[in-house]
Amino acid sequence: MRQAPARMAHDHPGHEHGQHPPSDMELRVKALESVLVEKGLVDPAALDAIVDHYQHKVGPRNGARVVAKAWSDPAFRARLETDATAAIAELGYTGRQGEHMVALFNTPSLHNMVVCTLCSCYPWPVLGLPPVWYKSAPYRSRAVIDPRGVLAEFGVSLPQGIEVRVWDSTAEVRYLVIPERPAGTERLSEAELAALVTRDGMIGTARL
């Protein structure tokens, strides 16, 4: 998340972290992992399996597939509007933190944005683990008080005529923003459409 004016930090999803030394947090995690493995308390293979699960089976690519299908399949979109949990389950995305889903559709006059003001409730099956900034106190408080200001820090400047609606995730309900389909994408396949969708777009802190 890029450094925002004095209040929030925002990580860059496409940034090549390999070009920089590991952070203090990464070093501490690695040291802790080494100690636990050395003492026989953690199985490295089990850790690798967990990481692989969240990288390849649970994550933003799942949500991107949901969005792309909603863009290209009117019947699926209708089911997503009626019962997002069931529609998302059609694609095989179910489980913990995704039991009760609601899809929020952006329009030319409405921009949806998601926050969890109490902790970090987040739709894991379709977005993976929440980014650090989503869990931060500044985002959780300011997204409700000053959503346009927060969006501006993410590089999103909305005309005054567009309503910004903020949705508060809870342990009972989690949200997935369906961004507007970009113009000129009528001939793209679902896979090509999915490649256009970003994690932040599905939280509502980016526009496509």
Side-chain angles (χ1 to χ4, degrees):
M1 182 170 171
R2 66 164 173 252
Q3 189 62 42
R7 290 166 295 199
M8 259 192 309
H10 173 196
D11 61 326
H12 290 289
H15 195 65
E16 294 298 329
H17 295 286
Q19 297 177 359
H20 300 275
S23 66
D24 289 343
M25 178 63 73
E26 290 171 329
L27 291 173
R28 288 197 293 270
V29 169
K30 188 63 178 177
L32 178 60
E33 177 185 337
S34 298
V35 171
L36 293 174
V37 169
E38 182 179 342
K39 291 181 177 295
L41 299 175
V42 170
D43 179 0
L47 285 178
D48 290 341
I50 293 172
V51 171
D52 179 75
H53 177 75
Y54 280 100
Q55 283 184 335
H56 301 291
K57 298 179 182 178
V58 177
R61 69 183 67 193
N62 296 350
R65 186 181 172 208
V66 173
V67 171
K69 191 166 184 64
W71 284 345
S72 57
D73 184 341
F76 178 79
R77 179 189 174 99
R79 294 195 297 276
L80 193 62
E81 290 177 321
T82 301
D83 186 343
T85 306
I88 291 170
E90 292 177 21
L91 302 182
Y93 308 140
T94 61
R96 186 168 179 262
Q97 309 293 332
E99 299 91 343
H100 304 289
M101 294 291 304
V102 172
L104 309 171
F105 293 82
N106 284 352
T107 72
S109 60
L110 173 65
H111 182 87
N112 294 288
M113 181 177 172
V114 181
V115 67
C116 177
T117 56
L118 292 179
C119 51
S120 59
C121 295
Y122 193 75
W124 290 12
V126 287
L127 292 186
L129 298 176
V132 172
W133 56 262
Y134 183 85
K135 300 181 286 185
S136 71
Y139 178 79
R140 286 161 44 205
S141 60
R142 293 185 53 243
V144 175
I145 299 170
D146 181 24
R148 287 182 180 274
V150 171
L151 287 172
E153 293 174 9
F154 280 87
V156 178
S157 180
L158 298 174
Q160 286 300 317
I162 296 181
E163 175 189 356
V164 178
R165 191 172 297 170
V166 180
W167 300 80
D168 193 358
S169 284
T170 68
E172 288 74 34
V173 180
R174 290 172 175 80
Y175 301 97
L176 178 69
V177 175
I178 310 298
E180 289 186 84
R181 180 171 179 165
T185 61
E186 293 77 15
R187 296 182 180 274
L188 298 186
S189 67
E190 279 190 24
E192 291 169 326
L193 289 171
L196 303 176
V197 183
T198 66
R199 178 202 63 194
D200 288 9
M202 294 181 284
I203 299 173
T205 52
R207 300 186 84 189
L208 305 187

